[in-house]
Amino acid sequence: MNQSAFFQISLYLIILGLLAYPLGGYISKVMQGERNFLSPLLTPLENGVYRLANIKADEENNWKSYAISVLSFNILGVAIVYLVQRLQIWLPLNPQQLAAPSIDSSFNTAISFVTNTNWQGYAGESTMSYFTQMLALTVQNFFSAATGLVVVIALIRGFARHSSQTIGNFYADIVRSTLYILLPLSLVFAGLLMSQ
């Protein structure tokens, strides 16, 4: 390993170490539903999502209903990503009139993006329409990361609440992790990348 690579890895680890404590504290506050610096801006949006999706954020699940919610949410994600790919020829934002990917490629891509492996067995811009990339794949990138985060949070709650029968509300957790954690982080990192 040359000196430049060693410096870059060291710098990355130092920055990661410095951010771990404040970011961990912020994630803890968000996932407990506590007020944070983004609350004035995002709480009305969060409450609107709860009303629109009929989510009762204060009702907690036991581990079985939480697991069923995770599986149901991800099965729905697979179905939507699959259908958007298969129907893309008739959907908007397809100026190249790209045909639907094959059945097996669509299923593989749907499973891949829901499980956050994002394996692509196709050339993106010559296979997927803008609509498919935006609505199906990009949205699923957020939801798959949010799902992984909330499952870890539920596991931590299970250990911390060893005498409790509940581990949180999956749907409230997914909304909070997406709105308060993933979207703001993506905006910050997008700004950093654009500045480079």
Side-chain angles (χ1 to χ4, degrees):
M1 183 174 356
N2 63 29
Q3 214 171 9
S4 175
F6 182 75
F7 174 75
Q8 286 179 343
I9 292 170
S10 299
L11 181 63
Y12 174 76
L13 291 174
I14 288 168
I15 292 171
L16 195 61
L18 291 173
L19 290 176
Y21 186 77
L23 188 58
Y26 174 72
I27 290 171
S28 175
K29 282 181 122 176
V30 166
M31 299 314 290
Q32 292 180 53
E34 295 177 9
R35 190 166 174 77
N36 58 71
F37 73 97
L38 289 175
S39 292
L41 179 67
L42 295 177
T43 298
L45 183 58
E46 177 187 4
N47 291 334
V49 171
Y50 292 154
R51 277 192 302 279
L52 185 67
N54 196 25
I55 297 170
K56 294 171 182 60
D58 53 345
E59 290 182 11
E60 293 206 354
N61 306 118
N62 62 29
W63 74 268
K64 289 177 187 174
S65 61
Y66 200 97
I68 289 169
S69 296
V70 170
L71 291 172
S72 301
F73 186 77
N74 285 310
I75 289 168
L76 181 63
V78 168
I80 290 171
V81 172
Y82 177 81
L83 286 174
V84 168
Q85 290 176 88
R86 297 297 297 150
L87 300 173
Q88 81 176 357
I89 189 70
W90 297 290
L91 296 174
L93 297 173
N94 189 1
Q96 299 96 342
Q97 292 298 304
L98 297 170
S102 66
I103 292 171
D104 58 335
S105 178
S106 296
F107 186 68
N108 180 52
T109 302
I111 293 290
S112 173
F113 275 78
V114 168
T115 59
N116 204 12
T117 55
N118 301 347
W119 186 84
Q120 295 174 279
Y122 57 88
E125 289 76 24
S126 64
T127 306
M128 300 296 179
S129 69
Y130 299 136
F131 186 84
T132 302
Q133 291 182 59
M134 288 187 306
L135 182 74
L137 304 182
T138 304
V139 168
Q140 196 55 54
N141 273 333
F142 276 91
F143 285 147
S144 64
T147 301
L149 177 63
V150 301
V151 167
V152 169
I153 296 295
L155 181 67
I156 291 168
R157 285 182 188 142
F159 289 137
R161 302 176 181 179
H162 52 81
S163 61
S164 177
Q165 297 297 312
T166 61
I167 57 170
N169 183 319
F170 170 76
Y171 296 106
D173 289 347
I174 206 91
V175 169
R176 288 181 187 137
S177 65
T178 302
L179 283 180
Y180 289 94
I181 300 167
L182 296 176
L183 285 174
L185 280 175
S186 71
L187 291 174
V188 167
F189 285 120
L192 288 172
L193 288 172
M194 286 188 300
S195 74
Q196 301 302 309

